[in-house]
Amino acid sequence: MSHSRWKSVRERKLGTSALEPEDVVQARREIRLSMALARAVYERRVELGLTQAQLADRAGLTQAKVSRIEGSDTVPTLPLLSKLAHALDASLNIALDDDEIHVSFTPHRTEAA
């Protein structure tokens, strides 16, 4: 079943006035944020050709911690995000709007080709 069809079936089942509980909405948002960060860390690490162990060494973390971040199993603190950005030689960009979450790393300098 396509996403749009599933969504319309779901809306009919919920009814037009039924809404998800606020705690469910918040949990979904936190999961989306965690997944967006995980993807951005993974993509930047791969772009640099680093292993999780190498990134961990650069950031002063353990490989297991990097694995948990990339697996969206943890939500890092701001100081940890700063360490990651420094280790990935990039600025961390996070844009949070109502339903949109964008997380990316902007390299500090262009890597030699």
Side-chain angles (χ1 to χ4, degrees):
M1 177 182 303
S2 73
H3 174 70
S4 58
R5 179 161 162 69
W6 171 84
K7 189 175 179 183
S8 64
V9 169
R10 180 175 171 266
E11 287 170 350
R12 280 195 305 264
K13 285 182 180 179
L14 287 175
T16 56
S17 63
L19 298 175
E20 288 184 314
E22 184 58 34
D23 59 334
V24 172
V25 171
Q26 183 61 30
R28 287 179 195 270
R29 184 171 171 78
E30 289 172 9
I31 290 167
R32 284 194 309 271
L33 178 58
S34 181
M35 290 175 70
L37 175 66
R39 182 176 33 254
V41 170
Y42 171 80
E43 289 174 355
R44 179 65 179 152
R45 178 179 63 78
V46 169
E47 182 180 310
L48 292 172
L50 299 173
T51 65
Q52 286 184 347
Q54 290 168 324
L55 175 56
D57 188 51
R58 283 180 164 203
L61 304 171
T62 64
Q63 181 275 327
K65 184 68 171 181
V66 172
S67 178
R68 286 193 302 274
I69 292 167
E70 287 187 0
S72 17
D73 296 333
T74 186
V75 178
T77 62
L78 288 174
L80 193 138
L81 290 174
S82 177
K83 286 181 182 182
L84 277 174
H86 180 75
L88 292 169
D89 193 26
S91 297
L92 176 60
N93 309 297
I94 302 174
L96 305 172
D97 293 316
D98 290 337
D99 288 332
E100 297 290 323
I101 295 172
H102 299 283
V103 179
S104 64
F105 286 94
T106 303
H108 288 154
R109 60 184 170 271
T110 305
E111 286 82 25

